[in-house]
Amino acid sequence: MKKKWIYLVFLAFFTSALFSYFTFNPVRESIIYFPIDDSITFTKASTSLELVGNEDDDEYLMEWDVHSQTDKEVYLRQDISLLFSNGKLIETLSEWEDQSQKIAQYKKISGEDSAHYEAISLHYGEIHLKDEIRSTQYMTSDQLYIIDSEFTNLFSFKSSQTEEEEEWEKILNKVTEQHLEYSWTELIDYFQIDSQDYFALPLSELAKYNSHSLLQLTKAQTKEVVGSLWEGLYKHYFLGIKTKEGKVLSPIGSTMPLILLANNHSHMLVLTQTEDGTPIKLVQKITFNQ
């Protein structure tokens, strides 16, 4: 009788442990494109850059805010954001919550000298239904020109409203454009890419394709391409850039990625240079869900 009792206890323990092993599925930080669920939408989403003021005589403070909310609670919510200064990545933000609707995050950034700041964010939700997994996504962005010159008081603007602001906007845009065009031209030459075969898009302009279609794609296909692109960017750029030698490099200091969408919609290329000048090409194939 005693042996039988011990056997039953052991069997119950083993069955319980086995059940837990196969049913426990811990939520973890991830961005994976699944077919879009149009029944769940973002009721709020924003990325904001604002000048706070002087930190000391040589530096100023800027606040970077990212927040979003879905109309329903979902299995996994995650927001990521990238901040560029004059075309180079300087900071990233990432936050995730399981069984949630809202995410809010902010960071104070120290800066010096005049600069054009650009931030772009992906707001993402993973949705678990009875027999399938779906997702929802939305992008937001913001920009800020901060003028820190010995010839004028510290000030900022998002788009020029005065002659002085217009002049500074032209100067800072020219600095960024020259730097990026030189880098992107080097990369296209290095990887022997025929630019006529692609539609080129800087990462900072991607947010406009929440509502617009990319290169004669339908809106549904555009969402699929954008979702797959962010999955690749998150794994192979945001979390670290893996070189062909196997090294993993920080994306901080790299040039703003240039997205090249093939005219025949077969694939995408993402080009960037790391802080030390290493040329990087990411390749993403495009296969549309039927």
Side-chain angles (χ1 to χ4, degrees), residues 228 265-268 283-287:
S228 298
H265 306 152
S266 62
H267 66 282
M268 288 177 286
V283 183
Q284 182 128 7
K285 291 183 180 179
I286 299 173
T287 53

Side-chain angles (χ1 to χ4, degrees), residues 2-160:
K2 186 175 180 182
K3 285 184 179 181
K4 184 177 179 182
W5 181 82
I6 293 171
Y7 171 77
L8 289 172
V9 170
F10 174 79
L11 182 63
F13 175 80
F14 177 77
T15 304
S16 175
L18 192 65
F19 179 78
S20 298
Y21 176 80
F22 283 110
T23 60
F24 180 62
N25 182 21
V27 176
R28 62 182 179 81
E29 180 180 8
S30 64
I31 289 179
I32 301 171
Y33 174 77
F34 295 103
I36 297 296
D37 186 337
D38 290 322
S39 70
I40 294 181
T41 59
F42 284 91
T43 55
K44 296 178 183 177
S46 72
T47 298
S48 174
L49 300 173
E50 298 293 342
L51 177 64
V52 176
N54 287 98
E55 187 170 25
D56 54 41
D57 292 340
D58 299 320
E59 292 186 322
Y60 52 80
L61 272 180
M62 175 178 66
E63 188 164 291
W64 174 23
D65 289 277
V66 179
H67 74 268
S68 64
Q69 180 176 337
T70 52
D71 57 351
K72 299 174 187 174
E73 184 179 282
V74 299
Y75 179 79
L76 173 69
R77 281 281 293 107
Q78 184 167 359
D79 283 0
I80 64 171
S81 189
L82 302 100
L83 178 62
F84 298 87
S85 173
N86 296 336
K88 285 196 170 187
L89 183 67
I90 60 168
E91 286 284 356
T92 62
L93 278 177
S94 178
E95 184 70 31
W96 68 279
E97 296 280 349
D98 64 306
Q99 303 298 335
S100 179
Q101 289 177 258
K102 300 178 184 178
I103 286 184
Q105 52 187 326
Y106 79 96
K107 195 170 192 176
K108 286 187 176 172
I109 305 294
S110 296
E112 57 182 16
D113 300 327
S114 300
H116 178 204
Y117 293 95
E118 297 171 277
I120 182 166
S121 307
L122 174 71
H123 313 280
Y124 170 84
E126 184 176 303
I127 303 154
H128 285 213
L129 305 174
K130 285 184 179 179
D131 55 355
E132 62 180 334
I133 301 176
R134 290 186 170 266
S135 63
T136 185
Q137 64 189 29
Y138 195 76
M139 297 175 288
T140 58
S141 62
D142 197 17
Q143 67 170 357
L144 188 66
Y145 295 87
I146 296 182
I147 311 307
D148 183 16
S149 167
E150 59 185 29
F151 304 110
T152 183
N153 292 328
L154 178 70
F155 70 99
S156 68
F157 59 92
K158 293 185 184 291
S159 61
S160 56

Side-chain angles (χ1 to χ4, degrees), residues 180-192:
L180 288 177
E181 284 175 9
Y182 178 79
S183 172
W184 291 339
T185 300
E186 268 198 335
L187 288 164
I188 287 169
D189 290 343
Y190 179 85
F191 291 112
Q192 299 180 332

Side-chain angles (χ1 to χ4, degrees), residues 144-180:
L144 188 66
Y145 295 87
I146 296 182
I147 311 307
D148 183 16
S149 167
E150 59 185 29
F151 304 110
T152 183
N153 292 328
L154 178 70
F155 70 99
S156 68
F157 59 92
K158 293 185 184 291
S159 61
S160 56
Q161 303 294 322
T162 66
E163 287 187 9
E164 182 183 16
E165 289 176 355
E166 187 177 347
E167 188 62 32
W168 275 110
E169 185 175 343
K170 286 179 180 177
I171 291 169
L172 292 174
N173 283 352
K174 192 69 175 176
V175 168
T176 302
E177 286 167 9
Q178 285 181 336
H179 165 68
L180 288 177

Side-chain angles (χ1 to χ4, degrees), residues 89 237-241 248-254 273-276:
L89 183 67
Y237 180 73
F238 190 93
L239 295 179
I241 303 169
V248 178
L249 305 175
S250 169
I252 301 300
S254 64
Q273 278 183 315
T274 62
E275 188 174 28
D276 66 1

